[in-house]
């Protein structure tokens, strides 16, 4: 077969997608979703909701299409959405932003992350510090950018980093410290002293802080504390979020990045050559969502907390040890009490044995740290209550 040249190899290796023979293996997410489709199993693997978000938001998108919002929007995003993002940051966090220069709309948080990393990293010696296990895009984009990924492990069962390990990871080579809080895949919310230490280390080593806060409204015992609100942080922090998780519109891909004008400008220079713009009719709809009353936001956090509890109890009843998530869609369970030694093979046979799909935590870890997460499994709780209860019942029967 002819060789396929290009950066895709770096991406794939970064994301752990290459098979042992160097061929492109499917991601475990694709493999598990295909298994779910083939076996009719309940998909607690991929994190997408199985119910629609707020009717006002959906209706606003329909109206925008009918009203002709179907051509290229402005490069930074429509003014109304940028204003709504700035209002949201002030209303919830007291952060004041200039919507003209300090807010950029992106094709989901995914593009925001890619554009930030590509924009702000330029040497193979540059290091990007992330917490591990991590959202798989991080490693892929760091590899694509030709930089080095440095990871700080989060350990079962509370998944808070060891301050000494965090201190060791950040050096003068560190360009970015990327903090996903609330955290996917573990459901952790970082303790205040961890956030303080991130700011201290970023200042000492002149690193930029990048946050991924897509679960900002799914903190169970809120409120959420954005890193940008900590003393000294705002001037060196780019904050990323998205409407996907908050409004159950993961297919819309409306995200944003906010922060100092010069950093946002740098990100824009890359973003404009990735997608240029996107989601014209969804932008006003997400603006409407961001302006929903407080009750909507406290409501989705309470609902997700209740669903996580139901999932957690079900997993415990089925014999797993279960961590206690503080936010996000996800719950991590340890299958070791069930005699499992390898969660990856456990997850491959789970659809046939129990009719449930889940993701092994090793899918979110570097090759060097596979062993630390060997028996851990990520389950998504962003499903209807009857679906979660049925999944729990199936898992109990299967043991
Ligand atoms: C879902 C998710 C994203 C992607 O967000 P989009 O807006 O859908 O691109 C980014 N980061 C984390 C941690 C996620 O879970």
């Amino acid at each position: 077969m002819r060789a396929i040249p290009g950066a895709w190899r770096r991406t794939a290796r970064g994301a752990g997608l290459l098979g042992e023979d160097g061929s492109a293996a499917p991601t475990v997410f694709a493999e598990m979703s295909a298994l779910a489709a083939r076996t009719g199993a309940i998909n607690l693997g991929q994190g997408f909701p199985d119910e629609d978000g707020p009717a006002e938001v959906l209706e606003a998108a329909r109206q925008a299409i009918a009203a002709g919002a179907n051509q290229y929007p402005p490069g930074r995003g429509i003014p109304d959405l940028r204003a709504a993002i700035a209002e949201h940051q002030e209303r919830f966090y007291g952060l004041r932003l200039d919507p003209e220069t300090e807010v950029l709309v992106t094709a989901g948080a995914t593009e925001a992350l890619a554009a930030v990393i590509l924009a702000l990293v330029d040497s193979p010696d540059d290091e990007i510090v992330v917490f591990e296990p991590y959202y798989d895009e991080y490693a892929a984009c760091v590899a694509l950018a030709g930089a080095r990924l440095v990871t700080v492990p989060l350990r079962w069962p509370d998944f808070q980093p060891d301050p000494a390990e965090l201190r060791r990871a950040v050096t003068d080579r560190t360009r970015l410290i990327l903090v996903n809080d609330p955290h996917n895949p573990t459901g952790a919310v970082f303790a205040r002293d961890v956030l303080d230490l991130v700011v201290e280390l970023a200042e000492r080593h002149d690193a930029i802080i990048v946050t991924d806060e897509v679960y900002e409204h799914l903190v169970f015992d809120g409120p959420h504390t954005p890193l940008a609100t900590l003393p000294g942080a705002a001037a060196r922090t780019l904050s990323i979020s998205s409407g996907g998780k908050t409004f159950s519109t993961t297919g819309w891909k409306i995200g944003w990045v906010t922060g100092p004008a010069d950093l946002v400008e740098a990100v824009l220079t890359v973003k404009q050559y990735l997608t240029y713009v996107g989601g014209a009719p969804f932008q006003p709809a997400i603006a409407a969502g961001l302006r929903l009353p407080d009750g909507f936001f406290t409501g989705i956090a309470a609902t997700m907390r209740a669903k996580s509890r139901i999932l957690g109890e079900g997993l415990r009843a089925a014999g797993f040890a279960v961590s206690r998530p503080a936010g996000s869609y996800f719950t991590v369970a340890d299958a070791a009490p069930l005699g499992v030694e390898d969660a990856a093979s456990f997850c491959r046979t789970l659809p046939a044995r129990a009719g449930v799909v889940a993701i092994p935590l090793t899918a979110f870890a570097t090759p060097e740290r596979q062993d630390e997460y060997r028996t851990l499994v990520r389950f998504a709780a962003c499903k209807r209550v009857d679906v979660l209860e049925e999944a729990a019942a199936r898992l109990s029967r299967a043991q």
Side-chain angles (χ1 to χ4, degrees):
M1 218 194 80
R2 68 185 158 67
I4 307 173
W8 70 274
R9 261 175 196 284
R10 281 206 306 280
T11 323
R13 193 171 290 121
L17 306 184
L18 282 190
E20 307 249 299
D21 60 353
S23 65
T27 71
V28 67
F29 304 96
E31 185 187 343
M32 293 303 165
S33 283
L35 260 179
R38 201 161 62 234
T39 59
I42 296 175
N43 191 351
L44 302 187
Q46 215 180 4
F48 61 89
D50 59 358
E51 285 177 291
D52 274 335
E56 307 91 302
V57 173
L58 304 181
E59 187 51 34
R62 281 186 209 103
Q63 280 179 13
I65 291 174
N70 301 306
Q71 309 309 327
Y72 298 129
R76 286 177 187 261
I78 62 167
D80 188 48
L81 175 55
R82 280 185 278 129
I85 292 164
E87 285 164 32
H88 170 277
Q89 295 304 90
E90 179 156 20
R91 167 181 162 200
F92 287 100
Y93 310 127
L95 288 166
R96 305 196 61 172
L97 296 164
D98 177 354
E100 297 298 317
T101 59
E102 297 177 323
V103 178
L104 174 64
V105 176
T106 56
T110 304
E111 189 197 30
L113 286 157
V116 165
I117 292 169
L118 290 169
L120 300 180
V121 164
D122 55 13
S123 141
D125 297 325
D126 285 351
E127 295 184 350
I128 293 157
V129 173
V130 306
F131 295 99
E132 179 176 12
Y134 47 74
Y135 187 61
D136 58 341
E137 183 194 1
Y138 302 171
C141 283
V142 170
L144 251 189
R148 284 195 55 213
L149 186 75
V150 174
T151 68
V152 178
L154 305 175
R155 295 196 178 84
W156 170 271
D158 67 342
F159 298 110
Q160 296 292 321
D162 173 353
E165 285 179 319
L166 178 53
R167 281 180 191 281
R168 270 202 301 280
V170 182
T171 71
D172 288 345
R173 289 185 302 277
T174 306
R175 284 291 148 274
L176 310 177
I177 307 175
L178 174 44
V179 183
N180 173 211
D181 180 36
H183 187 259
N184 173 8
T186 66
V189 165
F190 291 126
R192 176 60 192 245
D193 55 350
V194 171
L195 302 182
D196 284 332
L197 182 56
V198 167
V199 178
E200 178 195 320
L201 294 170
E203 279 176 342
R204 181 174 320 147
H205 298 285
D206 197 21
I208 292 167
I209 299 167
V210 180
T211 69
D212 176 345
E213 303 176 58
V214 299
Y215 299 104
E216 62 187 316
H217 289 294
L218 299 173
V219 176
F220 302 154
D221 298 300
H224 167 62
T225 304
L227 255 159
T229 63
L230 269 56
R236 58 173 68 253
T237 300
L238 282 169
S239 307
I240 292 172
S241 193
S242 157
K245 309 293 160 58
T246 299
F247 304 111
S248 298
T249 51
T250 61
W252 285 12
K253 287 285 172 177
I254 301 297
W256 50 89
V257 48
T258 60
D262 56 347
L263 290 179
V264 168
E265 187 79 28
V267 178
L268 173 63
T269 61
V270 170
K271 180 264 184 298
Q272 68 191 344
Y273 298 117
L274 294 177
T275 59
Y276 173 43
V277 292
F282 302 124
Q283 292 195 23
I286 294 296
L290 290 171
R291 293 185 175 120
L292 285 172
D294 290 355
F296 166 76
F297 296 93
T298 49
I300 59 170
T303 300
M304 191 54 63
R305 176 176 53 214
K307 289 181 173 187
S308 291
R309 297 287 185 266
I310 291 166
L311 175 64
E313 279 159 27
L315 292 171
R316 232 168 268 121
F320 292 87
V322 184
S323 75
R324 210 180 155 77
S328 89
Y329 281 172
F330 304 107
T331 294
V332 174
D334 189 352
L338 300 170
V340 171
E341 284 170 11
D342 178 33
S345 47
F346 174 75
C347 287
R348 277 195 188 94
T349 59
L350 198 60
R353 280 186 301 112
V356 174
V357 168
I359 307 283
L361 224 64
T362 48
F364 308 92
T366 49
E368 301 76 50
R369 256 196 263 274
Q370 294 286 304
D371 258 355
E372 299 207 25
Y373 305 107
R374 183 68 63 199
T375 60
L376 302 181
V377 182
R378 187 193 79 171
F379 291 88
C382 52
K383 308 291 172 180
R384 294 197 316 269
V385 167
D386 61 301
V387 171
L388 295 171
E389 284 170 346
E390 172 62 18
R394 290 184 184 188
L395 286 164
S396 281
R397 281 199 299 271
Q399 303 318 323

